[in-house]
């Protein structure tokens, strides 16, 4: 992993919208490196970068942030986080975005391949599992360096709702949501605990069913309330957890969309599964034994992702 001329890491944010701007702020405040904020809208990334550069003295941060409409400015980036694309409007499913966002992802993949060939690429754009698949195909980067962010966010939503239900700290809840980033995502109850105590021992099954239903619809719940755009604070924070796992070689176990090569009985498809993330990107896919219902749900979710890939 190369550092840039300052000795600091270079993080390229492709798309400077709601998530991109929040990512830029988090990269700065968490001292992860220098930031290049790229977007096709003229002036907007430059404006956000200028604003964020004025936050630096307030917090005593020395990060450098540049806004640009020239993709060549991402040159030599260690990490590219891709949010370019349209977000959902109320009533839309993530899959409705497939054609428009595929065009955009194809475009930026070309730029990443040319200017940041050594970067780890984290894709956030929806429909997530199809867009990260496309990014890997278009860049031709090894699959350990092209990862989709959704599992960290979906898991965080599950954790938040469970902590609220149990009236305990969010840090006491350990959970997993696997599968595709759609309404058929798979909250894995059998591996979800409150400090080691299975949640099924603490919350009645019908109540857990309702919580898991809310997890699956949580993105849509936010979209319906906002009316324009979709969630952005928590998606940005979730991606930052992945950037940190990579740059700081944390070997963190988290859920992410990765290319499967026979794991979980699936091949040639990007899907959310537990991985170990460190300086090699995806260092390992962790295979856990799922119960029959969870396994069935995971495969149904994979079928849905494959249907989207067929459209591409
Ligand atoms: O968990 C997850 N993966 C997600 C995904 C959670 C929430 C939202 N998720 C998706 O992320 C959402 O459905 C969208 O597809 C993306 C980005 O969401 P965001 O809220 O940041 O959308 P914005 O604010 O509309 O920003 C998108 C920016 C916008 O500024 C466009 O001008 C820009 O993308 N854009 C481009 N940038 C670079 N290059 C090209 N070609 C381009 N086209 C549009």
């Amino acid at each position: 992993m190369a550092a840039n001329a300052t000795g600091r890491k270079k993080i390229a944010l492709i798309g400077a919208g709601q998530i991109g701007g929040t990512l830029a702020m988090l990269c700065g405040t968490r001292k992860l490196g220098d930031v290049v904020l790229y977007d096709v809208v003229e002036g907007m990334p430059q404006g956000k970068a200028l604003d964020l550069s004025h936050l630096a003295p307030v917090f005593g941060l020395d990060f450098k942030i540049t806004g640009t409409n020239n993709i060549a400015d991402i040159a030599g980036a260690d990490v590219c986080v891709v949010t370019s694309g349209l977000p959902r409007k109320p009533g839309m499913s993530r899959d409705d975005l497939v054609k428009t966002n595929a065009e955009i992802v194809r475009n930026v993949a070309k730029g990443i391949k040319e200017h940041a060939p050594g970067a780890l690429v984290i894709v956030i754009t929806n429909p997530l599992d199809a867009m990260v698949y496309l990014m890997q195909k278009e860049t031709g980067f090894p699959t350990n360096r092209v990862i989709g962010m959704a599992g960290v966010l979906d898991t965080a939503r599950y954790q938040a709702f469970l902590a609220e239900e149990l009236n305990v700290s969010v840090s006491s809840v350990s959970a997993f949501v696997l599968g595709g980033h759609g309404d058929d995502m798979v909250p894995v109850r059998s591996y979800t605990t409150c400090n080691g105590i299975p949640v099924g021992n603490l919350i009645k099954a019908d109540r857990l069913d309702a919580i898991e239903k809310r997890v699956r619809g949580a993105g849509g719940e936010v979209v319906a309330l906002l009316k324009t755009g979709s969630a952005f604070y928590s998606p940005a924070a979730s991606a930052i957890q992945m950037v940190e796992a990579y740059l700081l070689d944390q070997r963190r176990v988290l859920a992410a969309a990765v290319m499967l090569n026979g794991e979980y009985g699936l091949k040639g498809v990007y899907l959310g599964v537990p991985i170990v993330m460190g300086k090699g990107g995806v260092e390992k896919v962790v295979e856990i034994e799922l119960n029959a219902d969870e396994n069935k749900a995971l495969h149904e979710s994979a079928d849905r992702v494959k249907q989207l890939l067929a459209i591409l």
Side-chain angles (χ1 to χ4, degrees), residues 115-178:
H115 301 289
L120 175 92
V121 183
I122 299 173
V123 177
I124 301 186
T125 306
N126 270 327
L128 189 269
D129 307 272
M131 293 303 106
V132 63
Y133 176 95
L134 190 62
M135 176 63 72
Q136 194 278 324
K137 292 293 165 210
E138 296 285 320
T139 55
F141 288 3
T143 53
N144 65 304
R145 278 204 282 125
V146 184
I147 313 181
M149 189 298 290
V152 175
L153 171 64
D154 297 330
T155 298
R157 286 172 170 160
Y158 195 22
Q159 285 172 295
F161 294 145
L162 288 170
E164 192 181 14
E165 177 76 11
L166 292 166
N167 194 20
V168 299
S169 162
V170 286
S171 57
S172 294
V173 179
S174 173
F176 262 129
V177 178
L178 307 181

Short mmCIF file of all heavy atoms in Angstrom, two decimals, residues 115-178:
data_model
loop_
_atom_site.label_atom_id
_atom_site.label_comp_id
_atom_site.label_asym_id
_atom_site.label_seq_id
_atom_site.Cartn_x
_atom_site.Cartn_y
_atom_site.Cartn_z
N HIS A 115 -6.32 5.70 -13.12
CA HIS A 115 -5.57 6.61 -12.25
C HIS A 115 -5.22 6.05 -10.87
O HIS A 115 -4.35 6.58 -10.20
CB HIS A 115 -6.36 7.92 -12.08
CG HIS A 115 -6.63 8.60 -13.37
ND1 HIS A 115 -5.64 9.22 -14.11
CD2 HIS A 115 -7.78 8.75 -14.09
CE1 HIS A 115 -6.16 9.72 -15.22
NE2 HIS A 115 -7.46 9.44 -15.23
N ALA A 116 -5.92 5.04 -10.42
CA ALA A 116 -5.63 4.51 -9.08
C ALA A 116 -5.60 2.98 -9.13
O ALA A 116 -6.35 2.30 -8.42
CB ALA A 116 -6.67 5.01 -8.08
N PRO A 117 -4.72 2.43 -9.96
CA PRO A 117 -4.74 0.99 -10.19
C PRO A 117 -4.38 0.15 -8.97
O PRO A 117 -4.64 -1.05 -8.95
CB PRO A 117 -3.71 0.79 -11.32
CG PRO A 117 -2.82 1.98 -11.25
CD PRO A 117 -3.66 3.11 -10.74
N GLY A 118 -3.80 0.77 -7.95
CA GLY A 118 -3.41 -0.01 -6.77
C GLY A 118 -4.38 0.15 -5.62
O GLY A 118 -4.14 -0.34 -4.52
N ALA A 119 -5.50 0.85 -5.86
CA ALA A 119 -6.39 1.20 -4.74
C ALA A 119 -7.29 0.04 -4.31
O ALA A 119 -7.62 -0.84 -5.10
CB ALA A 119 -7.27 2.38 -5.14
N LEU A 120 -7.69 0.09 -3.05
CA LEU A 120 -8.81 -0.73 -2.58
C LEU A 120 -10.07 0.06 -2.95
O LEU A 120 -10.13 1.27 -2.74
CB LEU A 120 -8.76 -0.88 -1.06
CG LEU A 120 -9.97 -1.61 -0.48
CD1 LEU A 120 -9.67 -3.11 -0.38
CD2 LEU A 120 -10.36 -1.07 0.88
N VAL A 121 -11.06 -0.61 -3.52
CA VAL A 121 -12.28 0.08 -3.92
C VAL A 121 -13.45 -0.40 -3.07
O VAL A 121 -13.73 -1.61 -3.01
CB VAL A 121 -12.59 -0.17 -5.42
CG1 VAL A 121 -13.83 0.61 -5.84
CG2 VAL A 121 -11.39 0.19 -6.29
N ILE A 122 -14.09 0.55 -2.41
CA ILE A 122 -15.29 0.23 -1.62
C ILE A 122 -16.48 0.86 -2.35
O ILE A 122 -16.52 2.09 -2.53
CB ILE A 122 -15.18 0.76 -0.18
CG1 ILE A 122 -14.00 0.11 0.54
CG2 ILE A 122 -16.48 0.51 0.58
CD1 ILE A 122 -13.71 0.68 1.91
N VAL A 123 -17.41 0.05 -2.79
CA VAL A 123 -18.57 0.55 -3.52
C VAL A 123 -19.75 0.68 -2.55
O VAL A 123 -20.00 -0.21 -1.73
CB VAL A 123 -18.94 -0.38 -4.69
CG1 VAL A 123 -20.20 0.09 -5.41
CG2 VAL A 123 -17.77 -0.48 -5.67
N ILE A 124 -20.45 1.82 -2.68
CA ILE A 124 -21.63 2.05 -1.84
C ILE A 124 -22.89 2.21 -2.71
O ILE A 124 -24.01 1.94 -2.27
CB ILE A 124 -21.43 3.31 -0.96
CG1 ILE A 124 -20.19 3.15 -0.08
CG2 ILE A 124 -22.66 3.60 -0.12
CD1 ILE A 124 -19.97 4.27 0.92
N THR A 125 -22.70 2.63 -3.95
CA THR A 125 -23.82 2.90 -4.86
C THR A 125 -24.79 1.72 -4.97
O THR A 125 -24.38 0.58 -5.08
CB THR A 125 -23.25 3.22 -6.26
OG1 THR A 125 -22.30 4.28 -6.14
CG2 THR A 125 -24.34 3.62 -7.24
N ASN A 126 -26.07 2.04 -4.98
CA ASN A 126 -27.13 1.02 -5.12
C ASN A 126 -27.50 0.76 -6.58
O ASN A 126 -27.32 1.66 -7.40
CB ASN A 126 -28.39 1.50 -4.39
CG ASN A 126 -28.40 1.05 -2.95
OD1 ASN A 126 -27.91 -0.02 -2.62
ND2 ASN A 126 -29.00 1.86 -2.08
N PRO A 127 -28.06 -0.38 -6.92
CA PRO A 127 -28.24 -1.55 -6.05
C PRO A 127 -26.89 -2.21 -5.79
O PRO A 127 -26.20 -2.63 -6.71
CB PRO A 127 -29.17 -2.46 -6.86
CG PRO A 127 -29.04 -2.01 -8.29
CD PRO A 127 -28.62 -0.58 -8.27
N LEU A 128 -26.54 -2.24 -4.52
CA LEU A 128 -25.16 -2.45 -4.10
C LEU A 128 -24.48 -3.70 -4.66
O LEU A 128 -23.40 -3.62 -5.24
CB LEU A 128 -25.15 -2.48 -2.56
CG LEU A 128 -23.82 -2.48 -1.83
CD1 LEU A 128 -23.31 -3.87 -1.53
CD2 LEU A 128 -22.75 -1.65 -2.50
N ASP A 129 -25.14 -4.84 -4.52
CA ASP A 129 -24.46 -6.09 -4.89
C ASP A 129 -24.18 -6.16 -6.39
O ASP A 129 -23.16 -6.68 -6.82
CB ASP A 129 -25.31 -7.28 -4.43
CG ASP A 129 -25.64 -7.15 -2.96
OD1 ASP A 129 -24.85 -7.62 -2.13
OD2 ASP A 129 -26.68 -6.53 -2.63
N ALA A 130 -25.08 -5.57 -7.19
CA ALA A 130 -24.87 -5.55 -8.64
C ALA A 130 -23.80 -4.52 -9.02
O ALA A 130 -22.99 -4.75 -9.91
CB ALA A 130 -26.19 -5.24 -9.35
N MET A 131 -23.80 -3.39 -8.33
CA MET A 131 -22.84 -2.33 -8.67
C MET A 131 -21.40 -2.71 -8.30
O MET A 131 -20.46 -2.38 -9.02
CB MET A 131 -23.24 -1.01 -7.99
CG MET A 131 -24.53 -0.40 -8.51
SD MET A 131 -24.53 -0.11 -10.29
CE MET A 131 -25.59 -1.42 -10.87
N VAL A 132 -21.24 -3.42 -7.19
CA VAL A 132 -19.87 -3.82 -6.82
C VAL A 132 -19.37 -4.92 -7.76
O VAL A 132 -18.20 -4.96 -8.14
CB VAL A 132 -19.77 -4.18 -5.32
CG1 VAL A 132 -20.61 -5.35 -4.92
CG2 VAL A 132 -18.32 -4.47 -4.94
N TYR A 133 -20.29 -5.76 -8.21
CA TYR A 133 -19.95 -6.79 -9.20
C TYR A 133 -19.45 -6.11 -10.48
O TYR A 133 -18.41 -6.45 -11.03
CB TYR A 133 -21.19 -7.64 -9.48
CG TYR A 133 -21.02 -8.68 -10.56
CD1 TYR A 133 -20.69 -9.99 -10.24
CD2 TYR A 133 -21.21 -8.36 -11.91
CE1 TYR A 133 -20.54 -10.97 -11.23
CE2 TYR A 133 -21.06 -9.32 -12.91
CZ TYR A 133 -20.73 -10.62 -12.57
OH TYR A 133 -20.58 -11.56 -13.55
N LEU A 134 -20.21 -5.11 -10.90
CA LEU A 134 -19.86 -4.39 -12.13
C LEU A 134 -18.50 -3.69 -11.98
O LEU A 134 -17.68 -3.70 -12.90
CB LEU A 134 -20.96 -3.36 -12.40
CG LEU A 134 -20.95 -2.64 -13.73
CD1 LEU A 134 -21.11 -3.64 -14.88
CD2 LEU A 134 -22.09 -1.61 -13.78
N MET A 135 -18.28 -3.09 -10.84
CA MET A 135 -17.00 -2.40 -10.59
C MET A 135 -15.84 -3.37 -10.72
O MET A 135 -14.81 -3.06 -11.33
CB MET A 135 -17.03 -1.79 -9.18
CG MET A 135 -15.74 -1.13 -8.73
SD MET A 135 -15.26 0.30 -9.74
CE MET A 135 -16.47 1.50 -9.23
N GLN A 136 -16.00 -4.56 -10.17
CA GLN A 136 -14.90 -5.54 -10.24
C GLN A 136 -14.67 -5.97 -11.69
O GLN A 136 -13.53 -6.04 -12.16
CB GLN A 136 -15.23 -6.75 -9.35
CG GLN A 136 -14.04 -7.65 -9.07
CD GLN A 136 -13.77 -8.64 -10.19
OE1 GLN A 136 -14.70 -9.14 -10.81
NE2 GLN A 136 -12.50 -8.92 -10.46
N LYS A 137 -15.75 -6.21 -12.41
CA LYS A 137 -15.62 -6.65 -13.81
C LYS A 137 -14.96 -5.55 -14.65
O LYS A 137 -14.10 -5.81 -15.48
CB LYS A 137 -16.99 -6.98 -14.42
CG LYS A 137 -17.63 -8.20 -13.82
CD LYS A 137 -16.85 -9.48 -14.16
CE LYS A 137 -17.26 -10.62 -13.28
NZ LYS A 137 -16.24 -11.61 -13.00
N GLU A 138 -15.40 -4.31 -14.44
CA GLU A 138 -14.91 -3.21 -15.28
C GLU A 138 -13.47 -2.81 -14.97
O GLU A 138 -12.72 -2.42 -15.84
CB GLU A 138 -15.83 -1.98 -15.13
CG GLU A 138 -17.23 -2.22 -15.64
CD GLU A 138 -17.34 -2.25 -17.17
OE1 GLU A 138 -16.69 -1.43 -17.82
OE2 GLU A 138 -18.08 -3.10 -17.69
N THR A 139 -13.09 -2.88 -13.69
CA THR A 139 -11.69 -2.53 -13.35
C THR A 139 -10.77 -3.72 -13.60
O THR A 139 -9.60 -3.54 -13.90
CB THR A 139 -11.54 -2.14 -11.87
OG1 THR A 139 -12.05 -3.20 -11.05
CG2 THR A 139 -12.24 -0.84 -11.54
N GLY A 140 -11.32 -4.92 -13.43
CA GLY A 140 -10.48 -6.12 -13.53
C GLY A 140 -9.55 -6.27 -12.32
O GLY A 140 -8.65 -7.09 -12.32
N PHE A 141 -9.80 -5.48 -11.27
CA PHE A 141 -8.98 -5.58 -10.06
C PHE A 141 -9.22 -6.94 -9.40
O PHE A 141 -10.31 -7.51 -9.52
CB PHE A 141 -9.34 -4.48 -9.05
CG PHE A 141 -8.90 -3.10 -9.43
CD1 PHE A 141 -8.25 -2.84 -10.65
CD2 PHE A 141 -9.11 -2.02 -8.57
CE1 PHE A 141 -7.85 -1.56 -10.99
CE2 PHE A 141 -8.70 -0.73 -8.91
CZ PHE A 141 -8.08 -0.51 -10.12
N PRO A 142 -8.24 -7.44 -8.64
CA PRO A 142 -8.48 -8.69 -7.92
C PRO A 142 -9.65 -8.54 -6.95
O PRO A 142 -9.88 -7.45 -6.41
CB PRO A 142 -7.17 -8.92 -7.14
CG PRO A 142 -6.30 -7.75 -7.39
CD PRO A 142 -6.90 -6.89 -8.44
N THR A 143 -10.39 -9.62 -6.75
CA THR A 143 -11.64 -9.51 -5.99
C THR A 143 -11.40 -9.13 -4.52
O THR A 143 -12.29 -8.58 -3.88
CB THR A 143 -12.44 -10.82 -6.05
OG1 THR A 143 -11.58 -11.90 -5.66
CG2 THR A 143 -12.94 -11.09 -7.45
N ASN A 144 -10.20 -9.37 -4.01
CA ASN A 144 -9.94 -8.98 -2.61
C ASN A 144 -9.84 -7.46 -2.45
O ASN A 144 -9.88 -6.94 -1.34
CB ASN A 144 -8.66 -9.64 -2.07
CG ASN A 144 -7.42 -9.17 -2.80
OD1 ASN A 144 -7.33 -9.27 -4.02
ND2 ASN A 144 -6.48 -8.61 -2.06
N ARG A 145 -9.74 -6.73 -3.59
CA ARG A 145 -9.62 -5.27 -3.53
C ARG A 145 -10.88 -4.54 -3.99
O ARG A 145 -10.86 -3.31 -4.18
CB ARG A 145 -8.42 -4.82 -4.37
CG ARG A 145 -7.10 -4.95 -3.65
CD ARG A 145 -6.08 -3.99 -4.22
NE ARG A 145 -5.51 -4.44 -5.47
CZ ARG A 145 -5.51 -3.70 -6.59
NH1 ARG A 145 -6.08 -2.52 -6.62
NH2 ARG A 145 -4.94 -4.17 -7.68
N VAL A 146 -11.95 -5.24 -4.25
CA VAL A 146 -13.21 -4.59 -4.64
C VAL A 146 -14.32 -5.13 -3.74
O VAL A 146 -14.71 -6.30 -3.83
CB VAL A 146 -13.55 -4.85 -6.12
CG1 VAL A 146 -14.80 -4.08 -6.52
CG2 VAL A 146 -12.38 -4.47 -7.03
N ILE A 147 -14.81 -4.27 -2.86
CA ILE A 147 -15.72 -4.71 -1.79
C ILE A 147 -16.95 -3.80 -1.73
O ILE A 147 -16.83 -2.59 -1.97
CB ILE A 147 -15.01 -4.64 -0.42
CG1 ILE A 147 -13.61 -5.29 -0.49
CG2 ILE A 147 -15.82 -5.31 0.66
CD1 ILE A 147 -12.87 -5.28 0.82
N GLY A 148 -18.09 -4.37 -1.42
CA GLY A 148 -19.30 -3.56 -1.28
C GLY A 148 -19.66 -3.32 0.18
O GLY A 148 -19.56 -4.22 1.01
N MET A 149 -20.06 -2.08 0.46
CA MET A 149 -20.50 -1.75 1.82
C MET A 149 -22.02 -1.81 1.91
O MET A 149 -22.70 -1.06 1.22
CB MET A 149 -20.03 -0.34 2.22
CG MET A 149 -20.25 0.01 3.68
SD MET A 149 -21.96 0.04 4.30
CE MET A 149 -22.59 1.49 3.47
N ALA A 150 -22.51 -2.69 2.74
CA ALA A 150 -23.94 -2.74 3.07
C ALA A 150 -24.11 -3.48 4.39
O ALA A 150 -24.85 -3.06 5.25
CB ALA A 150 -24.74 -3.42 1.97
N GLY A 151 -23.36 -4.56 4.53
CA GLY A 151 -23.51 -5.41 5.72
C GLY A 151 -23.22 -4.68 7.02
O GLY A 151 -23.91 -4.90 8.02
N VAL A 152 -22.23 -3.78 7.01
CA VAL A 152 -21.92 -3.05 8.26
C VAL A 152 -23.12 -2.19 8.64
O VAL A 152 -23.54 -2.14 9.80
CB VAL A 152 -20.65 -2.18 8.10
CG1 VAL A 152 -20.43 -1.34 9.36
CG2 VAL A 152 -19.43 -3.05 7.82
N LEU A 153 -23.71 -1.55 7.63
CA LEU A 153 -24.87 -0.68 7.88
C LEU A 153 -26.10 -1.49 8.31
O LEU A 153 -26.76 -1.15 9.30
CB LEU A 153 -25.19 0.12 6.61
CG LEU A 153 -26.48 0.92 6.64
CD1 LEU A 153 -26.42 2.01 7.71
CD2 LEU A 153 -26.75 1.54 5.27
N ASP A 154 -26.40 -2.55 7.56
CA ASP A 154 -27.59 -3.35 7.90
C ASP A 154 -27.44 -3.96 9.29
O ASP A 154 -28.40 -4.03 10.07
CB ASP A 154 -27.81 -4.43 6.83
CG ASP A 154 -28.10 -3.80 5.46
OD1 ASP A 154 -28.67 -2.69 5.43
OD2 ASP A 154 -27.73 -4.41 4.43
N THR A 155 -26.21 -4.37 9.61
CA THR A 155 -25.94 -4.93 10.95
C THR A 155 -26.11 -3.85 12.02
O THR A 155 -26.68 -4.10 13.09
CB THR A 155 -24.52 -5.51 10.98
OG1 THR A 155 -24.45 -6.59 10.03
CG2 THR A 155 -24.15 -6.03 12.36
N ALA A 156 -25.63 -2.64 11.71
CA ALA A 156 -25.74 -1.54 12.68
C ALA A 156 -27.21 -1.22 12.97
O ALA A 156 -27.61 -0.93 14.10
CB ALA A 156 -25.02 -0.31 12.16
N ARG A 157 -28.02 -1.32 11.92
CA ARG A 157 -29.46 -1.05 12.11
C ARG A 157 -30.08 -2.12 13.02
O ARG A 157 -30.87 -1.81 13.91
CB ARG A 157 -30.15 -1.03 10.74
CG ARG A 157 -29.82 0.25 9.97
CD ARG A 157 -30.32 0.23 8.54
NE ARG A 157 -30.18 1.56 7.94
CZ ARG A 157 -30.16 1.80 6.64
NH1 ARG A 157 -30.27 0.81 5.77
NH2 ARG A 157 -30.04 3.04 6.19
N TYR A 158 -29.69 -3.35 12.80
CA TYR A 158 -30.18 -4.47 13.64
C TYR A 158 -29.73 -4.23 15.08
O TYR A 158 -30.52 -4.34 16.03
CB TYR A 158 -29.59 -5.76 13.07
CG TYR A 158 -30.20 -7.08 13.52
CD1 TYR A 158 -31.49 -7.18 14.05
CD2 TYR A 158 -29.47 -8.25 13.38
CE1 TYR A 158 -32.01 -8.42 14.42
CE2 TYR A 158 -29.98 -9.49 13.75
CZ TYR A 158 -31.25 -9.57 14.27
OH TYR A 158 -31.76 -10.78 14.63
N GLN A 159 -28.45 -3.88 15.24
CA GLN A 159 -27.91 -3.63 16.59
C GLN A 159 -28.67 -2.50 17.28
O GLN A 159 -29.00 -2.59 18.46
CB GLN A 159 -26.43 -3.25 16.52
CG GLN A 159 -25.50 -4.40 16.22
CD GLN A 159 -24.09 -3.89 15.97
OE1 GLN A 159 -23.85 -3.17 15.00
NE2 GLN A 159 -23.16 -4.25 16.83
N ALA A 160 -28.92 -1.43 16.54
CA ALA A 160 -29.58 -0.26 17.13
C ALA A 160 -30.98 -0.62 17.62
O ALA A 160 -31.38 -0.27 18.73
CB ALA A 160 -29.65 0.87 16.10
N PHE A 161 -31.73 -1.35 16.79
CA PHE A 161 -33.10 -1.71 17.18
C PHE A 161 -33.11 -2.70 18.35
O PHE A 161 -33.97 -2.63 19.23
CB PHE A 161 -33.86 -2.31 15.98
CG PHE A 161 -34.11 -1.33 14.85
CD1 PHE A 161 -34.09 -1.75 13.53
CD2 PHE A 161 -34.36 0.02 15.10
CE1 PHE A 161 -34.33 -0.87 12.48
CE2 PHE A 161 -34.59 0.92 14.07
CZ PHE A 161 -34.57 0.47 12.76
N LEU A 162 -32.13 -3.62 18.36
CA LEU A 162 -32.06 -4.59 19.47
C LEU A 162 -31.67 -3.90 20.78
O LEU A 162 -32.23 -4.19 21.84
CB LEU A 162 -31.06 -5.71 19.14
CG LEU A 162 -31.50 -6.70 18.06
CD1 LEU A 162 -30.34 -7.60 17.65
CD2 LEU A 162 -32.68 -7.55 18.55
N ALA A 163 -30.72 -2.99 20.70
CA ALA A 163 -30.29 -2.27 21.91
C ALA A 163 -31.44 -1.45 22.48
O ALA A 163 -31.64 -1.39 23.70
CB ALA A 163 -29.10 -1.37 21.58
N GLU A 164 -32.22 -0.87 21.57
CA GLU A 164 -33.38 -0.09 22.00
C GLU A 164 -34.40 -1.00 22.69
O GLU A 164 -34.91 -0.68 23.76
CB GLU A 164 -33.99 0.57 20.76
CG GLU A 164 -35.01 1.63 21.07
CD GLU A 164 -35.60 2.22 19.79
OE1 GLU A 164 -35.42 1.65 18.69
OE2 GLU A 164 -36.27 3.26 19.92
N GLU A 165 -34.64 -2.15 22.08
CA GLU A 165 -35.61 -3.09 22.64
C GLU A 165 -35.18 -3.59 24.03
O GLU A 165 -35.97 -3.69 24.95
CB GLU A 165 -35.74 -4.29 21.67
CG GLU A 165 -36.66 -5.39 22.12
CD GLU A 165 -38.13 -5.03 21.95
OE1 GLU A 165 -38.43 -4.00 21.29
OE2 GLU A 165 -38.98 -5.76 22.50
N LEU A 166 -33.88 -3.88 24.17
CA LEU A 166 -33.37 -4.44 25.43
C LEU A 166 -33.00 -3.35 26.43
O LEU A 166 -32.68 -3.65 27.58
CB LEU A 166 -32.13 -5.31 25.14
CG LEU A 166 -32.39 -6.60 24.36
CD1 LEU A 166 -31.07 -7.19 23.85
CD2 LEU A 166 -33.12 -7.62 25.24
N ASN A 167 -33.00 -2.11 25.95
CA ASN A 167 -32.58 -0.98 26.78
C ASN A 167 -31.17 -1.19 27.34
O ASN A 167 -30.92 -1.08 28.53
CB ASN A 167 -33.60 -0.75 27.91
CG ASN A 167 -33.39 0.60 28.59
OD1 ASN A 167 -32.76 1.49 28.00
ND2 ASN A 167 -33.85 0.75 29.82
N VAL A 168 -30.27 -1.57 26.42
CA VAL A 168 -28.85 -1.75 26.79
C VAL A 168 -27.99 -0.96 25.81
O VAL A 168 -28.47 -0.47 24.78
CB VAL A 168 -28.43 -3.24 26.74
CG1 VAL A 168 -29.25 -4.08 27.72
CG2 VAL A 168 -28.52 -3.80 25.32
N SER A 169 -26.70 -0.89 26.14
CA SER A 169 -25.76 -0.19 25.27
C SER A 169 -25.68 -0.87 23.91
O SER A 169 -25.68 -2.11 23.83
CB SER A 169 -24.38 -0.22 25.92
OG SER A 169 -23.38 0.06 24.96
N VAL A 170 -25.57 -0.06 22.86
CA VAL A 170 -25.41 -0.65 21.52
C VAL A 170 -24.14 -1.51 21.46
O VAL A 170 -24.08 -2.47 20.70
CB VAL A 170 -25.32 0.43 20.40
CG1 VAL A 170 -26.67 1.05 20.13
CG2 VAL A 170 -24.29 1.50 20.73
N SER A 171 -23.15 -1.16 22.28
CA SER A 171 -21.90 -1.92 22.21
C SER A 171 -22.02 -3.30 22.87
O SER A 171 -21.12 -4.12 22.75
CB SER A 171 -20.73 -1.12 22.81
OG SER A 171 -21.05 -0.77 24.12
N SER A 172 -23.13 -3.55 23.55
CA SER A 172 -23.34 -4.89 24.11
C SER A 172 -23.99 -5.83 23.11
O SER A 172 -24.11 -7.03 23.37
CB SER A 172 -24.24 -4.82 25.36
OG SER A 172 -23.57 -4.13 26.38
N VAL A 173 -24.44 -5.29 21.99
CA VAL A 173 -25.14 -6.13 21.01
C VAL A 173 -24.20 -6.48 19.86
O VAL A 173 -23.60 -5.60 19.25
CB VAL A 173 -26.40 -5.42 20.46
CG1 VAL A 173 -27.10 -6.31 19.43
CG2 VAL A 173 -27.35 -5.06 21.59
N SER A 174 -24.07 -7.76 19.61
CA SER A 174 -23.24 -8.23 18.50
C SER A 174 -24.16 -8.95 17.52
O SER A 174 -24.92 -9.84 17.92
CB SER A 174 -22.18 -9.17 19.07
OG SER A 174 -21.47 -9.77 18.03
N ALA A 175 -24.13 -8.53 16.26
CA ALA A 175 -25.13 -9.07 15.32
C ALA A 175 -24.51 -9.26 13.95
O ALA A 175 -23.38 -8.83 13.69
CB ALA A 175 -26.30 -8.09 15.22
N PHE A 176 -25.27 -9.92 13.09
CA PHE A 176 -24.87 -10.06 11.69
C PHE A 176 -26.09 -9.96 10.80
O PHE A 176 -27.12 -10.58 11.08
CB PHE A 176 -24.24 -11.44 11.43
CG PHE A 176 -22.75 -11.42 11.45
CD1 PHE A 176 -22.04 -12.33 12.23
CD2 PHE A 176 -22.04 -10.51 10.68
CE1 PHE A 176 -20.66 -12.32 12.25
CE2 PHE A 176 -20.66 -10.50 10.70
CZ PHE A 176 -19.96 -11.40 11.49
N VAL A 177 -25.99 -9.15 9.74
CA VAL A 177 -26.99 -9.20 8.68
C VAL A 177 -26.24 -9.53 7.40
O VAL A 177 -25.30 -8.83 7.02
CB VAL A 177 -27.75 -7.86 8.55
CG1 VAL A 177 -28.75 -7.94 7.39
CG2 VAL A 177 -28.48 -7.52 9.84
N LEU A 178 -26.64 -10.62 6.78
CA LEU A 178 -25.93 -11.11 5.59
C LEU A 178 -26.86 -11.02 4.37
O LEU A 178 -27.97 -10.51 4.45
CB LEU A 178 -25.47 -12.56 5.82
CG LEU A 178 -24.65 -12.78 7.09
CD1 LEU A 178 -24.23 -14.24 7.22
CD2 LEU A 178 -23.40 -11.89 7.12
#
